[in-house]
Structures are given as structure tokens and as C-alpha cells.
Amino acid sequence: MTERQRGPAEAPNLGEPAVPRPSASVVLLRRGGKHRDRALEVLLLKRTEEAKFMPGVWVFPGGAVDAGDGEGEAGHRACAVRELEEEAGIALPPDEELVLFSRWITPEVVSRRFDAWFFLALAPAHTPPEPDGVETTEAGWFEPRAALDAQHAGELSLAFPTVQQLKQLLPFRTANEAIEAHRGRAVEPILPKVIGSPEAHRVVLPGDPDYPA
């Protein structure tokens, strides 16, 4: 597995940590219907190779919260819905449930940082994703295990939080099972930290014995 290409906005920050910008994403899961006999699948989009942040990486649809989205959790939800439509051409019904799945904060050593909220949602029927051709260039439905295997084989480039969330989805057979399991669950923010030297470093998570206090 080769190291993915880093964009200029991912350059190391040697000064005071940047303030994370609020952002939100939709972890869109395939619903039943004609796919009833298929395993759970999740939508991933490939970011343009020209992006300053995570170029060429496959991600969940999402982006930064705008002033027009509102504030608090409602603003994050509005942002997630808006970004899904802008980046993948999929509009969620106004009453569609979004279940808070996880929250990741970019490590302090990265120049551009985000406080990213991820919501689970069911994909509307008969709405194939359409990349916008600007921020996103490809789209696909992936079984979580297949996406992780493709990452390991060097066929897909995935960011660390995406990998961890795909692993969280592995136990679930259907989208409904995954959403039901996370409905009402408390979600704590996760701040990964990078330890070691620039030549030999690794990412650690809260709870890891080597996680800095």
C-alpha cells in the first residue's frame, strides 16, 4: 500500500494549531428494494486531483458549514444535506432521518483543520450519484469490506477517518441495522494525534496506550 498524495492544505503546521472549521458529511447507505439481497453499501466520491485538501481521495460527500446552513447540530445537518446534493446530485427528502454517526477533528499538526460531523442516512430510491465534475470526479457504491480491501491493494486512496468509519460499518448486514444501532447513541469527538518523527510516524487515537496526554 503506497502513501497517498498530500495536498498543500495538508502541509505540516509548525506554529500554533489552526482552529478547526465546522464541517459535515453524509455516510449514505443503500436501501433495500431491488438491492434487498445485497450487502450494505456506502457511497464514496473521488475528490479531484486538483484539490488542495486530500486530492484524489475517496470520501463521503461533505464540506464546510456555511453561514446560511445555520448553527449548532441543525447547521451541520443542513450542511450535510446541501453538500450531498452539490457533490453527488442526490437530494434527500425534507423529512429524511440523519443519524449522527461520528465526529472527527483533524490532527493539530495539519495546516487546514476541520471539526467534521458524519451522519448516516438512507439513499433515496432510483437516484444514481452524479459527481459534480469540479470537486468530485467519480462516484461509486462500495461494500465497506470491498473498499477497505481496495485501499489495502492500492486501488483506492482513503483518509484515516474514512477507513475507521468503514470498519465501524462492517458488522452490519443492512442500512437499517446500522442506523438503528446508532440512533440516540452519544458521539464523542475524536482527535487523532501523530507521534514519531516525520520519517517514521503513526496516528494514534484516544484510548491508545501511546496517545499523548
Side-chain angles (χ1 to χ4, degrees), residues 32-102:
K34 67 177 181 179
H35 305 288
R36 185 175 293 111
D37 297 328
R38 298 174 64 177
L40 176 151
E41 292 179 322
V42 61
L43 177 64
L44 292 174
L45 306 177
K46 185 179 182 182
R47 290 176 55 79
T48 174
E49 299 286 354
E50 307 303 318
K52 294 182 179 179
F53 190 80
M54 296 198 298
V57 174
W58 288 79
V59 298
F60 304 119
V65 177
D66 289 343
D69 294 323
E71 299 180 354
E73 186 166 332
H76 284 82
R77 291 174 181 274
C79 170
V81 172
R82 173 178 56 76
E83 289 285 347
L84 175 63
E85 185 167 9
E86 289 178 359
E87 293 187 343
I90 296 177
L92 292 180
D95 59 348
E96 186 64 58
E97 181 183 24
L98 274 73
V99 173
L100 186 58
F101 181 43
S102 63

Side-chain angles (χ1 to χ4, degrees), residues 142-209:
F142 295 86
E143 293 181 19
R145 172 55 63 193
L148 292 169
D149 289 346
Q151 153 87 352
H152 186 74
E155 299 166 359
L156 280 185
S157 181
L158 301 172
F160 184 81
T162 307
V163 169
Q164 300 305 310
Q165 291 177 89
L166 289 171
K167 289 179 179 179
Q168 281 183 260
L169 293 172
L170 289 176
F172 303 105
R173 187 177 59 86
T174 68
N176 285 329
E177 284 182 7
I179 290 174
E180 179 63 29
H182 291 86
R183 187 180 287 120
R185 178 181 292 184
V187 172
E188 297 295 331
I190 300 171
L191 173 59
K193 294 194 175 183
V194 181
I195 62 173
S197 66
E199 295 77 22
H201 61 274
R202 64 187 182 94
V203 179
V204 294
L205 297 174
D208 189 298

